[in-house]
Amino acid sequence: MPRSRHGRFQRGFLLCLLPLLALLTLPTGPAEAAHVQQEVRHVPRRTTLTYLRRTLQALEDALSFFHSQHASVNLDGVIGTRMVEGTLKVLLTNLRKRNQLVQLPGDLAVDIQSVRDLAKVVSDKAEPHVAINEPAYFDRIWPTIHEGVWELDYPARNLSSSVITWPYRHLEHMEEMESDDCLTELFGTSGKANETCVISDSCWDKMTKLGYHMYSLTHQIFYLQLAERSGCLSEIQVKIRNKSQPGLRELQDTFCANILLEAERLVQHGYPVNARDLFMEQAGLCGMYGYWQFFRYSWLDRILGWQDTEAGCYRNGNWPYYLDEHRRTKREELRLANGCLSHMTTVAASALVQYVRYLTEDYLHSLAQLHVPHLYWD
């Protein structure tokens, strides 16, 4: 059972007075990203620990909400809990390999493991209900919530400064069903054949085409991650060679560099209510690739502030809402108890767990006096 929100952590405590830090100039695009590290001032350890504890608390609260709704949550909700489970498992494994787990304050090491365990409990409890409540959808893309599928292991890294970027347009290029159809090829669940790791030219062209925006762009990252984690890496490499593309790393860099530009644009426009789930999805997906430019304290403050402090979930006052084209392009949304939203809480959890990873690594770097900061002030 999940622990009380008021048990292990102290929700609502005030932050210590943060040291006054000079505001840093944000990179306006990937071309400037390589220079960010030289401009960053390292954040004091006590500040990092404060944020780490707050973020763990918020993540546990979101998982506890999903636990309370495990019989009703949809498949896309379980994607988020599996992402949390996988990310924390990889983090803990790497910390043990490097003998760094013992360097964390004792309560934090225990807390990270407890949140990982809670994510597994929620995922395992919810999965059979999803199979019953959404049988057709489950049959098509159940591997997206298979245990272990979200255990991506990428080190912290910079976005390349040489990738192609394109001007922003408020335009979607594909609907959710289109990307799901391409996922069923990978999973062997299309109904046409049971063979896995099938990648048709039409799907590969669609899922790696440059110039997409918004949810269509994050769907491309989602597809590439699942293709890799489904054991289809050799098939990916064949497609890249046949299409004369530069490489998988370059695709990751290109998509996430353009996603970063969109995220910064959302910040400049005041975090529009109808795009907050997209903003958190961007951090969650590109964060799994190790791109530390997506993690900033001011962004984390916003994400923490959007959480319902009582229920632990995330909601949107304008739900249900659609894009200008009146097409559903995001992953499936479901309204749960108290107006809480399954997809929005899912993407919040996916972003929060990446912040946990980066805050933990940033703290350990500070102990080793390695000035490789992952989060910065803006």
Side-chain angles (χ1 to χ4, degrees), residues 52 56 66 101 109 133 151 157 166 178 188 196 200 220 257 279 283 288 306 311 373:
L52 179 51
L56 270 171
F66 275 137
L101 197 59
N133 297 336
E151 293 175 14
R157 55 178 174 165
W166 45 85
E178 294 178 77
T196 60
S200 65
Q220 290 178 302
F279 177 74
M288 280 190 276
W306 295 333

Side-chain angles (χ1 to χ4, degrees), residues 39-55:
E39 300 172 359
V40 174
R41 292 187 182 183
H42 199 70
V43 176
R45 273 179 241 157
R46 64 181 179 276
T47 301
T48 304
L49 286 177
T50 296
Y51 271 96
L52 179 51
R53 289 190 170 98
R54 286 185 69 201
T55 307

